[in-house]
Amino acid sequence: MMLLKSLRSSGSFRSVLLLRFAGSVRNASKFDYDLVVLGGGSGGLACAKEAVEYGARVLCLDYVKPTPAGTKWGVGGTCVNVGCIPKKLMHQASLLGEAVHEAVAYGWNVNDRDIKPDWKKLVKVVQNHIKSVNWVTRVDLRDKKVEYVNSIGSFVNPHTIKYKTKQGELKQLTAQYVVIAVGGRPRYPPIKGAIELGITSDDIFSYEKEPGRTLVVGAGYVGLECACFLKGLGYDPTVMVRSIVLRGFDRQMSEFLAAMMTERGIHFLNTTIPMGVERTPEGKLLVQYRNTTTQTDGSDVFDTVLWAIGRKGLIEDLNLGAAGVQTYNDKVIVDHTEATSVPHIFAVGDIIYGRPELTPVAILSGRLLARRLFAGSTQLMDYTDVATTVFTPLEYSCVGMSEEMAIERLGADNIEVFHGYYKPTEFFIPQKSFRHCYLKAVAEVSGDQKILGLHYIGPVAGEVIQGFAAALKSGLTVKTLLNTVGIHPTTAEEFTRLSITKRSGVDPTPASCCS
């Protein structure tokens, strides 16, 4: 007993358990690998690297098909190569363009006239960073003893996977467990010229020519983010909206975001769908479209057409039928343990039906799955109250329920919405617009008023909401929030000053930054 207590306190107890478990897995296994991961994105690699920590023999099969425009990339998945990372870098580049003008107002002797970015240089430095991350990822896999094969894996039967080597040789292997983590790719509309003449977010971050006047088709977060960084870099984007902006997000906040973009000169074609794209004799792109409200047709000429109409899961090459894995449309159906219809086959990340398509979700769910499979853990992924951010010039970040969701679940009489506009101190000197700087807390109406959702539009929204997300998951209440002393002067402190409710009808506009 004393030895057991000593092991527990020293941390060696965990190591002993892991060694015993790993040894039993290897000795009992009748398969080539304990785990095969299909896909080399965030979720798949997190699962693979976590599994080898517990002694599992792991192989990752990963291959990226070039886009119709010819774009291809290395290991790491969407986030690293054509998603979160290059998007954030382009976002930062556009914000720096604004900052140059603000610097003049703050007394810097900067010539802010005729400032324009060098698109090719920007693309080059962004791609160089991505390639460095690709290299570090490959080295990390090698150091952690995760076998990596650059090939598409597909099922022969529930425990057997086949793939082709670079030399064209067909190989097969067996696995005790399989994790499907192939993610998704952007959709193209079924119209003339869409594939031949348009690009997607898979292409824009390595696009060799300047985008120029750009039509962004789609008003989800990808479309809005692309339109905003293009505008910030000096180009002329137009957003085509089929129905509403930011479907699935809080409606009031989404409309605020669209209004902010309009104020900055971004054009919207509302309730409009594309009908066709063709190249003009001058090399431009002529887009025909239809307004579904008025049923009138129109057209316009652009330099670039970027499709941002959603994503599809990459299941077509997996031969899931041979394994008996059930799907819905192009996504894999899983239960609360990430298990598919076949008990030893799992899925994580964007390929899962009905779960948040976010990199941190994929990473954590992949790690937790590996611990359950190879370390005896019972901890499940909690998909509720996941924070997210839309990286527009004024960012929108949220966690928990939207106002509409709270009303639907609890009833309008059972919720209270605390809200307010605010004026960031740093906006005053350059006279930046704070018309759309706004935040709200959606809470229960009774007791200490448990907070159900937090929403914020303003500077560095992701940095603000990340900490509040942990508080919300821990049961944050309005009472606790209002008893928290804010850090002054910050925009995050505005959450600690939310005292006006929508129900009261009182104007939530402050007189100054300190009122």
Side-chain angles (χ1 to χ4, degrees), residues 54-268:
Y54 303 106
R57 300 164 301 158
V58 180
L59 171 73
C60 176
L61 288 162
D62 173 54
Y63 182 79
V64 177
K65 288 185 177 180
T67 71
T71 307
K72 54 186 178 180
W73 53 87
V75 66
T78 296
C79 174
V80 166
N81 295 282
V82 292
C84 317
I85 301 305
K87 177 270 300 291
K88 182 68 180 293
L89 296 175
M90 292 285 193
H91 172 62
Q92 177 66 13
S94 71
L95 293 181
L96 288 173
E98 284 190 23
V100 173
H101 298 286
E102 294 171 27
V104 174
Y106 273 103
W108 285 87
N109 294 317
V110 178
N111 181 6
D112 64 338
R113 296 182 180 181
D114 301 321
I115 289 177
K116 60 178 297 184
D118 184 329
W119 174 261
K120 290 188 176 181
K121 182 178 180 180
L122 174 59
V123 166
K124 182 179 179 180
V125 296
V126 168
Q127 290 303 309
N128 285 344
H129 175 69
I130 291 171
K131 287 179 174 60
S132 72
V133 177
N134 295 150
W135 171 254
V136 169
T137 303
R138 291 293 295 267
V139 171
D140 191 37
L141 292 175
R142 182 193 65 196
D143 291 347
K144 286 182 165 59
K145 303 299 189 292
V146 175
E147 290 188 45
Y148 177 84
V149 176
N150 187 216
S151 182
I152 298 174
S154 62
F155 285 94
V156 176
N157 60 51
H159 283 285
T160 306
I161 306 292
K162 65 179 180 180
Y163 67 95
K164 278 188 178 181
T165 66
K166 288 184 177 180
Q167 293 73 33
E169 180 185 358
L170 189 64
K171 288 194 171 186
Q172 290 191 4
L173 55 87
T174 58
Q176 182 179 7
Y177 299 109
V178 179
V179 171
I180 302 168
V182 293
R185 297 285 284 271
R187 295 183 184 275
Y188 291 79
I191 60 173
K192 177 184 176 182
I195 295 175
E196 301 87 348
L197 301 175
I199 64 171
T200 69
S201 57
D202 281 357
D203 306 295
I204 188 65
F205 303 113
S206 58
Y207 206 45
E208 292 185 354
K209 70 171 187 176
E210 286 193 282
R213 188 165 189 252
T214 302
L215 175 64
V216 178
V217 182
Y221 71 91
V222 173
L224 299 189
E225 289 174 338
C226 288
C228 284
F229 74 65
L230 288 173
K231 181 64 178 179
L233 293 171
Y235 303 109
D236 181 19
T238 296
V239 179
M240 183 177 287
V241 187
R242 179 175 62 88
S243 54
I244 58 175
V245 298
L246 289 179
R247 180 177 298 278
F249 287 80
D250 185 277
R251 293 318 317 145
Q252 181 190 18
M253 305 303 283
S254 300
E255 289 164 8
F256 265 122
L257 204 68
M260 177 272 297
M261 292 173 63
T262 299
E263 183 182 62
R264 287 169 174 264
I266 296 175
H267 313 290
F268 283 86

Side-chain angles (χ1 to χ4, degrees), residues 452-473:
L452 308 171
L454 293 170
H455 301 264
Y456 169 101
I457 289 181
V460 294
E463 310 296 342
V464 171
I465 287 293
Q466 182 65 82
F468 284 110
L472 187 141
K473 287 186 75 72

